[in-house]
Amino acid sequence: MRSSTVIVRIKGGLGNQLFCYAAGRRLAIANQAELIVDDVTGFVRDLRYRRRYMLDRFRIPARKATPTERLEPFERYRRGVAKSLARRRPFHLRRYVEPEGVDFDPRLLSFEVTGTVYLDGYWQSEGYFKDVEQTIRQDLEIIPPQDGRNREVAQRIAECNAVAVHVRWFVSPTAADGQHNVGPSYYAAGIREIRERVPDPHFFLFSDEPEAAMQALQMAQGATTCIGHNRGDENAYADLWLMSQCRHFIIANSTFSWWGAWLSPHEQKIIVAPGIVQSGISSWGFAGCIPGEWTQI
């Protein structure tokens, strides 16, 4: 029985949940510690988005936390105390570990786990798990959807030079202030980049509002397939699975399509990511998320 444990708190949408898990898994491996997944407390107070744990669709080996390991009862109070105490200590001595800021923090890579450590944060960078990449890929193998429609689309993806294009609407497509949405000019540039490097590409368009995306991007009908049948959070994994089957990618400023591209097993894949600066910050808002071999536009 291992003498130390890492309890990772999963939260956010599917892309962020994957980042939470990957950072926790690597921390546990580096310290020969048991990884335990808190699949509850990160969602109980998500009253705005009402997200829920979605990693049951992946082949992760970690067990789920017991109520005691989730700091229950009085979880909110006990978690607040743990956070307050941790912030008074040097980073390497903390037992409740959160990011300080949003940029990549290499201190997590050398963190030594003794006893029980709680890991709470999004940790949005490949740098937190690059050295255990193959293990992460095995853990995050998506259990494929079995319905006929998704299997049919997957077959079409396999038969062509498939390019996944993801459009994420952070605000409504019709909103007056849409500065958080990556605009059509980025996608037009991404499509040009792909066409210059990929023979006869076929684009598979994924979006939380696919009809609006199709209209906004004005993509060629014959060279584009709009994927709009996997509605709702419970089916997000199916879109992610289809996306990961593609050979090349034009991603949004979204951790969802980041993971769709990263999980693709194609060795020669081209990944185009937004590097646009809006309102004084990059379209991601932080440094360290985009791997160096990806193409930023």
Side-chain angles (χ1 to χ4, degrees), residues 72-100:
E72 297 173 3
F74 310 114
E75 173 267 331
R76 188 172 191 177
Y77 170 77
R78 294 171 67 186
R79 188 175 304 280
V81 170
K83 290 182 178 185
S84 178
L85 292 174
R87 289 165 185 162
R88 301 175 188 177
R89 309 185 76 184
F91 186 85
H92 69 284
L93 295 177
R94 295 175 184 178
R95 293 296 166 260
Y96 197 103
V97 181
E98 297 178 285
E100 293 181 349

Side-chain angles (χ1 to χ4, degrees), residues 143-154:
I143 301 170
Q146 297 302 309
D147 63 285
R149 193 166 186 183
N150 279 306
R151 304 300 291 190
E152 178 185 351
V153 174

Side-chain angles (χ1 to χ4, degrees), residues 207-228:
S207 179
D208 47 343
E209 295 190 42
E211 294 82 6
M214 194 73 178
Q215 181 177 359
L217 270 56
Q218 298 182 340
M219 299 177 71
Q221 294 283 345
T224 307
T225 298
C226 185
I227 307 299

